[in-house]
Amino acid sequence: MKELSTKLLVIGGGPGGYVAAIRAGQLGIPTVLVEGERLGGTCLTIGCIPSKALIHAAEVFEQARHNAAGSALGVRAGEPTLDLAQTVRWKDGIVQRLTGGVGGLLRKAGVQVLQGWATIEDGKTVSVRMAGEGGEVRRVRCEHLLLATGSEPVALPSMPFGGAIWSSTDALSPDVLPRRLVVVGAGYIGLELGIAYRKLGVEVTVVEAAQRVLPSYDEELTQPVLESLKKSGVVLHLGCSVQGWDAGQGVHVRNARADEFALPADRVLVAVGRRPRTSGFGLESLQLDMAGRHVAIDAHCRTSMRGVWAIGDVTGEPMLAHRAMAQGECVAEQIAGHARRFEPMAIPAVCFTDPEVVVVGKTPAEARAAGLECIDAAFPFAANGRAMTLEATGGFVRVVARRDNHLIVGWQAVGRNVSELAAAFGQSIEMGARLEDVGHTIHAHPTLGEAVQEAALRALGQALHI
Ligand SMILES: Cc1cc2nc3c(=O)[nH]c(=O)nc-3n(C[C@H](O)[C@H](O)[C@H](O)COP(=O)(O)OP(=O)(O)OC[C@H]3O[C@@H](n4cnc5c(N)ncnc54)[C@H](O)[C@@H]3O)c2cc1C
């Protein structure tokens, strides 16, 4: 068996693992990265990027249909058709470009990539079954082991994935469009994909156990999403649980009154959550401290075993690519001897629904629960000129700040393209901005960002355009 030694060994080439490896390489740390599938991980290959590509294609298609029906803007076009195979090829092309780019960046940073599946022997030794003919096994010894193995979709016991039962991965590469799609789970993954399919002309029904869509977000924020779902013709069954499925009747559902009914479906997308990937590669042998299903880490991303680090989805919520990347960078810098901790003021969360939702920092309720006396104020896009020109007047921007010193502790927004406001929100919180800092910054006109300035001014009692 071939053996090699390195200072840092990273298991997993998703956003957490590849960023850690690139940063480590930049810092001159000899680094080996092992990836069993494709560089880029869930995010680049079956998550963030392909889902946003599909959402965009669906939006363009819907806009074309809207124009064909006669738009208020005077744009006229014929009834569009969809070449689904081409849409999927276009999406795959973006994924291909990005995963290839990650490979290039790793090479540039001097990282050795092993394409194969890693099995942990002990905290300093990992064997890798290399991809390709022969399945050669290599042993890698390391000073530092970084776990970045990500997560996998949770299946319902009564409806295992396969055939008509789709995971999000299947929904991103359809060979045909189903006529009727039932989505189980109204979290962000289920709704993003459900809305995209609706825009592509599919009859979409969403079943959710909670009484609300996007149940982990505050209700005021999700209300415009709920209204838009209803307007678009998505059928909602809230407060309902799924009992099973058969090809004849479809999905069997039970409501809060214990009535049972069936929802006919050609495909069922199960999007009920993701679980950290912690088994099947010898992790159990390390007997690390766990926090429920995920690997427990401290503020340095250290596990309970010296020299073993963990980042990203394998360390639990929030399971987001940008958190994994930031943790990866933080670990690499610590291994290089820098004094770092992973203690962000806020981690943005975005739902690429229609309209989009963005949350950074504390909501008014979270601020109250944390014992802070806060003021909050919202500015509606209905009073924003740019929103009118974009036909996007639904939604608002809301700011939350401490009453005593006006320090901003949270931002929330719902509306078209508000994901792009996440940068301004995150920067103001990380930099300790006060309402006056944002309210007195000159924002370009006409932009959606003016609603950010106006929300801050409104919290100060000085709003100008409302
Ligand atoms: C449909 C969908 C949409 C999403 N949209 C967003 C979004 O818009 N924004 C956002 O921030 N997040 C989004 N996410 C979540 C995001 O993809 C994850 O948070 C992110 O990919 C986590 O990164 P990671 O590095 O922890 O793990 P992953 O990206 O899961 O990467 C882990 C990698 O480790 C590899 N691996 C595991 N075990 C081994 C082993 N034993 N040997 C070798 N390799 C191994 C896997 O093959 C995988 O490539 C989405 C997820 C899904 C499913």
Side-chain angles (χ1 to χ4, degrees):
M1 187 189 296
K2 261 197 198 164
E3 297 212 357
L4 60 143
S5 292
T6 185
K7 181 151 180 179
L8 171 61
L9 172 62
V10 183
I11 306 182
Y18 85 71
V19 166
I22 290 173
R23 187 70 188 119
Q26 289 172 346
L27 292 163
I29 299 167
T31 302
V32 172
L33 181 146
V34 188
E35 171 53 59
E37 288 182 18
R38 291 173 74 187
L39 288 173
T42 302
C43 176
L44 264 59
T45 63
I46 51 167
C48 327
I49 297 296
S51 62
K52 272 69 225 180
L54 191 70
I55 288 166
H56 176 66
E59 171 67 28
V60 170
F61 184 67
E62 196 208 30
Q63 194 61 49
R65 288 209 319 182
H66 175 72
N67 291 339
S71 84
L73 282 66
V75 178
R76 301 283 179 264
E79 189 65 33
T81 57
L82 185 76
D83 178 349
L84 184 66
Q86 172 56 27
T87 306
V88 172
R89 270 197 301 279
W90 168 76
K91 181 249 333 171
D92 289 343
I94 295 171
V95 169
Q96 189 65 39
R97 242 177 296 151
L98 286 171
T99 55
V102 168
L105 292 170
L106 288 164
R107 266 194 306 282
K108 188 170 143 212
V111 175
Q112 183 177 0
V113 175
L114 297 183
Q115 185 72 51
W117 288 102
T119 302
I120 296 169
E121 293 184 14
D122 59 46
K124 301 233 177 282
T125 320
V126 165
S127 58
V128 181
R129 180 165 295 279
M130 301 292 288
E133 291 294 302
E136 178 205 347
V137 178
R138 294 194 193 172
R139 179 171 288 140
V140 188
R141 297 190 193 280
C142 59
E143 284 174 44
H144 297 269
L145 176 62
L146 174 56
L147 307 171
T149 50
S151 62
E152 54 204 358
V154 173
L156 291 173
S158 59
M159 295 161 68
F161 294 127
I165 312 298
W166 276 356
S167 68
S168 55
T169 307
D170 305 309
L172 290 169
S173 292
D175 46 1
V176 285
L177 280 183
R179 188 162 73 80
R180 296 159 308 187
L181 174 71
V182 169
V183 178
V184 184
Y188 85 92
I189 292 178
L191 283 196
E192 285 184 7
L193 294 174
I195 291 170
Y197 271 84
R198 180 70 201 123
K199 289 184 177 180
L200 292 172
V202 174
E203 290 172 28
V204 175
T205 303
V206 176
V207 183
E208 164 61 49
Q211 293 294 343
R212 303 199 290 113
V213 298
L214 299 173
S216 56
Y217 288 79
D218 100 42
E219 194 163 1
E220 206 183 339
L221 269 181
T222 58
Q223 190 59 28
V225 180
L226 180 67
E227 284 161 17
S228 161
L229 283 166
K230 287 182 179 163
K231 197 167 152 212
S232 71
V234 171
V235 178
L236 295 169
H237 291 282
L238 303 174
C240 291
S241 59
V242 165
Q243 306 296 305
W245 140 272
D246 71 74
Q249 291 181 297
V251 182
H252 295 269
V253 177
R254 183 181 293 158
N255 66 18
R257 293 186 305 276
D259 300 330
E260 292 204 8
F261 55 96
L263 296 170
D266 307 303
R267 294 286 183 277
V268 184
L269 166 59
V270 176
V272 294
R274 297 184 61 84
R275 80 159 66 89
R277 197 176 331 206
T278 53
S279 59
F281 58 96
L283 182 67
E284 307 81 355
S285 66
L286 298 184
Q287 297 193 327
L288 300 177
D289 286 354
M290 304 293 285
R293 299 194 82 114
H294 64 260
V295 175
I297 52 168
D298 65 10
H300 295 270
C301 302
R302 292 181 298 214
T303 69
S304 55
M305 181 181 274
R306 214 181 145 162
V308 179
W309 311 72
I311 55 172
D313 286 8
V314 75
T315 64
E317 296 289 350
M319 291 194 193
L320 293 167
H322 40 278
R323 168 177 173 264
M325 293 192 234
Q327 289 177 319
E329 208 186 339
C330 178
V331 168
E333 293 187 358
Q334 290 177 83
I335 293 172
H338 301 193
R340 286 286 314 269
R341 291 166 75 86
F342 184 73
E343 283 178 328
M345 296 292 293
I347 300 174
V350 176
C351 304
F352 291 83
T353 41
D354 182 4
E356 294 176 349
V357 174
V358 52
V359 174
V360 188
K362 292 182 171 43
T363 62
E366 286 164 352
R368 273 193 300 279
L372 295 177
E373 210 191 313
C374 282
I375 40 179
D376 63 89
F379 187 84
F381 284 116
N384 175 277
R386 179 62 176 150
M388 285 181 207
T389 67
L390 293 170
E391 301 179 281
T393 49
F396 57 87
V397 174
R398 183 171 66 196
V399 65
V400 187
R402 283 175 59 142
R403 189 175 292 282
D404 56 356
N405 58 10
H406 296 173
L407 184 76
I408 296 171
V409 298
W411 289 101
Q412 299 87 44
V414 53
R416 171 93 57 87
N417 295 344
V418 293
S419 53
E420 297 301 332
L421 300 178
F425 293 166
Q427 282 163 6
S428 70
I429 293 178
E430 277 295 338
M431 295 171 82
R434 289 159 205 267
L435 291 170
E436 289 81 354
D437 296 318
V438 177
H440 299 153
T441 297
I442 299 176
H443 285 62
H445 176 76
T447 60
L448 297 179
E450 286 172 284
V452 177
Q453 180 184 14
E454 287 278 4
L457 287 175
R458 200 170 191 192
L460 293 167
Q462 299 167 14
L464 294 166
H465 290 92
I466 196 161

